[in-house]
Amino acid sequence: MRPFSPATAAEVGEALNSRHTRMEQPRSPRTSTPTSIERFIEDEFAPRYRAA
């Protein structure tokens, strides 16, 4: 797999938007987390990032 780049992210976005690639499992209440991205960053990511 090639290294991540903005071009790679754009390619993934284009594949999803064109429906060339699709999610195997649709999003539903059962497969979604109630945690917001902001809460995850504050509670999980930031403390670990600071400790590294």
Side-chain angles (χ1 to χ4, degrees):
M1 188 169 188
R2 54 187 184 188
F4 177 80
S5 70
T8 303
E11 186 177 333
V12 169
E14 288 172 15
L16 290 169
N17 289 336
S18 70
R19 301 200 186 267
H20 178 76
T21 302
R22 63 185 171 86
M23 301 297 170
E24 290 184 7
Q25 183 172 357
R27 189 171 178 146
S28 72
R30 190 174 76 64
T31 62
S32 298
T33 177
T35 306
S36 70
I37 188 69
E38 294 84 5
R39 178 63 53 208
F40 171 77
I41 295 296
E42 185 178 322
D43 293 349
E44 301 293 331
F45 181 83
R48 293 175 190 184
Y49 180 81
R50 287 187 202 106

